[in-house]
Amino acid sequence: MELSLSTSSPAVLRRQASPLLHNQQVLGVSFASALKPGGALRFRSRRRPLHRPITCSASPSTAEPSSEVKKKKTLVRRNDVRNIAIVAHVDHGKTTLVDSMLRQAKVFRDNQVMQERIMDSNDLERERGITILSKNTSITYKNTKVNIIDTPGHSDFGGEVERVLNMVDGVLLVVDSVEGPMPQTRFVLKKALEFGHAVVVVVNKIDRPSARPEFVVNSTFELFIELNATDEQCDFQAIYASGIKGKAGLTPDDLSEDLGPLFEAVIRCVPGPNIEKDGALQMLATNIEYDEHKGRIAIGRLHAGALRKGMDVRVCTSEDSCRFARVSELFVYEKFYRVPADTVEAGDICAVCGIDDIQIGETIADKAHGKPLPTIKVEEPTVKMSFSVNTSPFSGREGKYVTSRNLRDRLNRELERNLAMKVEDGETADTFIISGRGTLHITILIENMRREGYEFMVGPPKVINKRVNDKLLEPYEVATVEVPENHMGPVVELLGKRRGQMFDMQGVGYVSFLLPCLSSYMQVCIVFSAS
């Protein structure tokens, strides 16, 4: 019998977050309490209120300054473009769903042979079966261009999700038809609601024999309420789909032969980008790629004005820190490829070449009147490890880059595109301290460097504590466990030894614990023999 244990992003839970409120109901269906370490245990019944979507709408960002209200009156809505990100918990079928969307949108020829999980182009992604880097593509549906961004599903790569949410106006929240909302579902949904994005919920893998769509939709509705979503955001559109079969429908029992209902929901529920068409050029560099012939390529959405090939621009980090550059080449995303373009209008996602020193978070602005956009902010790291030069007797036998200079240059290149990672000097000149969102986040870097020919030593992971108001805070996680009732005792005992505190019980066999940051990484899947 297998017991699965999943954890949420520790970086989110270390901060002083607002309490997660639940509905108060008179007949004992649920009790209202706040999620706090050491708080009272909550028992929640499996009877849930039925969610009935009414309208598709988005709400203004909760972090929007009041000074922007007047400015938005001059913005216009562009209706021929939709920018969406597909977000989900790991292994909920998000990349497979993108495959079906690309095939049905005739991105590839009928006789063209394509591999599964097309967007997972990295060798490490294909080997591990997970998405590590966010990637762009686009399709055309009924004369509307839909820019799609596939994002990672693991919480350790949450920095990729936080960055791309700056480029989109809505998200497709993919939820497994059996598991329902999981910890990473909570994390990405919380970020999308903070941006005020429209959310379309896709209940995927609806063809599974044990699917429970009503439970999943109502659980997702409760999650919206817990995250303090507005009334408009709670009225989300639910689509039932089978990504591997390429079918979707408005009800779980009546699926179309294609993904037409899903495409229609995107056009109807996700608004077009708000742009300042005649304003000064503004584009936020949200992602960075590198090409051997073209150099650094900045990817982002054009917020205002128009960008042209050969145009002189200003690159700004802040009002007082600007420099000048020229755009040598310009690309837009059409189908699965980057296509050269002479001009890009506001609202579209594009790739810019020619600015060799551009960094993520900088703004490409008008040369004369351009102003920088707010920089990208991501959650802080929670785990750190030491990297040092290999000093063992077997040094130099496996890698060709063995010196501290090689190590420093490679780590600095990683910082250029990985905003969620930090690098600091260690106690010696040959040691570096790498801080990341989790052990998997740093492990992927180690494996990539090993394949590139770097040889070095690593130390054990350590938790990053933080002092706030003279109090030492430790990052912690929420572990959600699904286990048969007769095995509940050993599970509670095991997690209790790891200093886990049970704070929520959802019916029979669903319990949630608060755990210190590294406890859950030590044993993610526990196998019990049936008694």
Side-chain angles (χ1 to χ4, degrees), residues 279-310:
L281 170 65
Q282 280 185 317
M283 172 187 160
L284 184 66
T286 310
N287 201 0
I288 295 291
E289 292 184 3
Y290 183 80
D291 185 89
E292 294 182 357
H293 304 287
K294 298 179 176 61
R296 294 173 67 85
I297 303 175
I299 301 173
R301 189 182 80 174
L302 205 59
H303 289 263
L307 188 60
R308 295 181 298 277
K309 180 179 178 180

Side-chain angles (χ1 to χ4, degrees), residues 5-8 477-481 495 503 511-515 520:
L5 182 150
S6 56
T7 59
S8 64
E477 298 172 326
V478 173
T480 303
V481 183
L495 295 180
F503 70 90
V511 290
S512 297
F513 295 83
L514 295 181
L515 285 174
S520 58

